[in-house]
């Protein structure tokens, strides 16, 4: 009996391989890569600066290409696919599950797409075309069509004998599905249940008929929320007639949850979530310029608001010194509400029935925040600048801006969702424009009215 | 043969129950709640405004309390636990898996904690104390100790007969573990493999000895990354002597991935990730005040920077109008880099071997951004204000600030991680303070030097 092999922890892998690569020990690297799992190789590629990636890819056994491509993030995969010729790519893709196949094909440039499809054998091409026929980001595009289905009238013993005719079950199989002669889903039979049943029982007697099937057209976000809420490992996908078409497995759902998390987080920071950490410098600089352009626009909007008060500012330089405080606080308070609402929408907590309650609540939080911070800033500024009038002006502006920030932070994502705009990316930019404008207008406006009349 | 029951989609549930609740149809609500799965009831509680939650909780069958508490998010659960007496809570907790039990107990106020532990029967108390003995956020605290282990010398037929003596397997069982007489892990046997093996084969012949076991002390982030990278459904947890102590299942890993995503996203927006969307107004306002206080501090730092240039500002009000542009662009560019690095660290892509490469790359992106946006702002401002000297000053400040932003955005999270500070929360505040200060100092400083002598 052998002890399980002592596996080096993967961060060590990264060190060792990077060193070997830098010393030109390519044969050694090739051997190490062969011993690694596809997921680890994918992780290594993602963790490597873009120049090392090309070298690594050439050292990988082409038989492993398919499994590794499946595991790579979109941006890194695209870079690597550009290094491959269509013929090799077609061979690599043939090993993939149908959902991953469609996922990769969908992203290919049109010319390469046609070339790759031409290189595939008939059966794989049909499988690919079938998978591509479902809209992206729906249950259809997430499902794979490799699964085992049973008829209800056979006994458990027969099922076990049938399974033993397979050398292995389709990847990620945890449940068998029970269908009638028209392939309509009747129930399911988790393996964990199968193995405790008496061999003489029939499938119909012991199957679980309460199985909840996923409609083809459900969005991937809803699918992920259902998996999470019910702790599923897999779920069957059916069409309108309850016919079983495929199954979705938890590994794909984990990817969705990870991507959604990254999308919202990177979105709050004005970044594409698929930006590759180790992309070349020029690619990175170019990708980030979109949001810097938008921000320059909003910064100029804010500047043109203060421009309206040039006369006031030239009379009282103290206002210039203080004028950034109110917009800054409004931006933070508004973004807090915005993030809360975006998260609530992502996990499906916010619907028509509670949106109004939430809006009222956030407006009240804004009012309370407004009162608290108006008082705080009034005290600080009155003491610092020795003028209770300036303290009063900044307090009033703070109250107005934080109240507006609460309402805007809750309203913007709800409205954007209705207009099918992604609030994670555009939301905080819109919000900041509002809080900057309202903050400057109210502070400089009130100052002009009260201090300079 | 019955068709699977037509299940109403859950968002409809929310509407229907909210209406029934508002109309006082409590008997009806109680019946609906009984028919729902624990995960759905938890979701309903999380989606309900705080006053409705209390009513809903009283309508739920106490037998279901345990399963529902397990599924609730921390913040919502804490609120509900405060409504329960210790005795009922102890009964509810007895049904939980050991990892969830520890998770709930850890959060209880000390007095309640002791009361609940006293109410538990001996066996559950021991189970709880064992689970609590592992540090939070490690593999030990994530694992549950209910699993099935086999000896290597028995045949598959014997295994199946042994399994049939169970009425059901422990929740989430997808793999059986093979151990020697000292309970040391020898290999594993996924159910999907078990069911295709010949009944006469021995476990030793067909088990998978390449199983990668998780050490007790591994952090939950590393555990989540391993699950994601290898598409695992569960993994065994061992101590230093390779003795099998428990297993971690994918449902807990999904929760970690979701929480990490929310944590970074909410962190970027200066929010606690466990803030309950439907918390009472005062609770929300209080929780958000911490970051508003910090932000007031940083805003006052920025104001005191411009305060140093009061003389300059009073001579040239145009500077006041333009002075917010450079800090704003620096904040966005720096936050882009910050988000990229935080994400890279979270998924384990960034280590000692590539941190320097990344820092260099982000510094170069900052330099390029700096040149591009310096040129852009120079043109805009020269045309707007009709002064190429002001254009030159703002261009130079922009170049300096964006270069600093790139370096700061990459350095801050790397340094904070080394100091064990969470960069998702504190990082962008530190960054903004730097980009505000450098932006104002360079713009107003250069303006004083170049425009006013």
């Amino acid at each position: 009996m052998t002890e399980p092999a002592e596996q080096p922890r993967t961060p060590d892998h990264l060190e060792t391989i990077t060193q070997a690569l830098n010393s030109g020990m390519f044969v050694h690297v090739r051997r190490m890569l062969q011993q690694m799992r596809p997921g680890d190789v994918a992780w290594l590629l993602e963790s490597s600066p873009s120049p090392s990636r090309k070298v690594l890819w050439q050292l990988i056994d082409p038989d492993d290409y398919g499994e590794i491509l499946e595991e790579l993030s979109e941006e890194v995969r695209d870079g690597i696919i550009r290094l491959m010729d269509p013929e090799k790519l077609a061979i690599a893709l043939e090993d993939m599950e149908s959902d991953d196949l469609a996922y990769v094909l969908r992203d290919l440039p049109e010319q390469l797409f046609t070339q790759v499809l031409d290189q595939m054998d008939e059966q794989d091409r049909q499988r690919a075309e079938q998978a591509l026929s479902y809209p992206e980001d729906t249950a259809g595009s997430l499902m794979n069509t490799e699964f085992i289905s049973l008829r209800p009238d056979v006994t458990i013993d027969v099922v076990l004998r049938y399974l033993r005719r397979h050398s292995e079950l389709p990847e990620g199989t945890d449940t068998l599905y029970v269908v009638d002669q028209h392939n309509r889903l009747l129930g399911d039979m988790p393996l964990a249940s199968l193995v405790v049943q008496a061999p003489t029982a029939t499938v119909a007697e012991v199957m679980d008929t309460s199985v909840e099937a996923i409609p083809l057209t459900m969005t991937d976000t809803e699918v992920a929320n259902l998996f999470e809420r019910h702790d599923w490992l897999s779920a069957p996908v059916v069409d309108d007639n309850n016919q079983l078409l495929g199954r979705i497995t938890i590994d794909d759902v984990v990817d969705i949850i990870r991507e959604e998390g990254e999308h919202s987080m990177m979105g709050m920071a004005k970044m594409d979530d698929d930006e590759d950490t180790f992309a070349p410098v020029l690619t990175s600089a170019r990708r980030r310029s979109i949001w810097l352009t938008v921000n320059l626009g909003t910064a100029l909007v804010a500047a043109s608001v203060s421009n309206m008060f040039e006369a006031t500012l030239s009379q009282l330089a103290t206002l210039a010194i203080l004028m950034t405080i109110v917009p800054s606080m409004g931006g933070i308070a508004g973004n807090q509400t915005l993030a809360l609402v975006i998260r609530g929408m992502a996990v499906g907590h916010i619907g028509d029935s509670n949106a109004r309650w939430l809006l009222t609540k956030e407006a009240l939080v804004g009012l309370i925040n407004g009162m608290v911070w108006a008082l705080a800033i009034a005290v600080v500024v009155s003491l610092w600048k020795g003028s209770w009038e300036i303290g009063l002006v900044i307090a009033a502006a703070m109250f107005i801006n934080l109240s507006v920030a609460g309402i805007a932070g809750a309203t913007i994502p709800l409205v954007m969702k209705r207009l099918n705009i992604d609030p994670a990316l555009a939301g905080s930019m819109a919000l900041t424009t509002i809080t900057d404008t309202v903050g400057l207008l109210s502070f400089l406006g009130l100052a002009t009215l009260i201090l300079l009349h």
Side-chain angles (χ1 to χ4, degrees), chain A residues 248-285:
Chain A
I248 296 177
T249 49
I250 183 80
D251 55 319
D252 295 319
V253 173
V254 166
D255 292 342
I256 294 169
I257 293 174
R258 172 72 81 182
E259 277 164 25
E260 281 182 354
E262 291 185 352
H263 176 73
S264 330
M265 179 266 197
M266 302 287 270
M268 296 303 285
K270 308 289 152 295
M271 283 279 279
D272 274 345
D273 52 291
D274 54 357
E275 178 166 328
D276 165 14
T277 316
F278 297 97
V281 173
L282 282 177
T283 313
S284 292

Side-chain angles (χ1 to χ4, degrees), chain A residues 312 316 319 387-397 442-453:
Chain A
T312 308
L316 208 55
L319 296 180
S387 154
W388 65 266
E389 285 148 314
I390 295 185
L392 185 72
V393 164
I394 200 167
S442 54
F443 178 61
L444 295 176
L446 288 170
T448 309
L449 287 173
I450 296 176
L451 304 174
L452 297 184
H453 57 111

Side-chain angles (χ1 to χ4, degrees), chain A residues 156-284:
Chain A
I156 297 300
D157 190 44
V158 171
V159 172
L160 284 171
R161 276 189 280 138
Y162 167 69
L163 293 178
R164 284 182 196 129
R165 281 171 23 209
H166 296 72
S167 61
E168 57 179 5
L169 301 188
E171 213 179 312
T173 297
D174 71 299
T175 296
L176 314 178
Y177 299 105
V178 188
V179 294
D180 68 11
Q181 67 271 37
H182 304 295
N183 195 36
R184 282 184 304 218
L185 184 67
L186 300 174
D188 74 1
M189 166 72 68
L191 292 178
S193 161
L194 177 74
V195 296
V196 300
Q197 302 301 342
T200 52
T202 65
V203 167
E205 285 164 3
V206 295
M207 70 180 181
D208 181 2
T209 55
S210 71
V211 52
E212 198 171 329
I214 291 183
L216 258 184
T217 50
M218 186 181 273
T219 66
D220 57 358
T221 308
E222 284 178 283
V223 170
N225 287 340
L226 279 179
F227 265 77
E228 204 178 339
R229 206 181 303 151
H230 297 144
D231 295 342
W232 288 337
L233 297 179
S234 65
V237 179
V238 295
D239 65 11
D240 291 343
N241 302 316
N242 199 33
Q243 285 191 316
L244 181 63
L245 297 179
R247 69 190 164 114
I248 296 177
T249 49
I250 183 80
D251 55 319
D252 295 319
V253 173
V254 166
D255 292 342
I256 294 169
I257 293 174
R258 172 72 81 182
E259 277 164 25
E260 281 182 354
E262 291 185 352
H263 176 73
S264 330
M265 179 266 197
M266 302 287 270
M268 296 303 285
K270 308 289 152 295
M271 283 279 279
D272 274 345
D273 52 291
D274 54 357
E275 178 166 328
D276 165 14
T277 316
F278 297 97
V281 173
L282 282 177
T283 313
S284 292

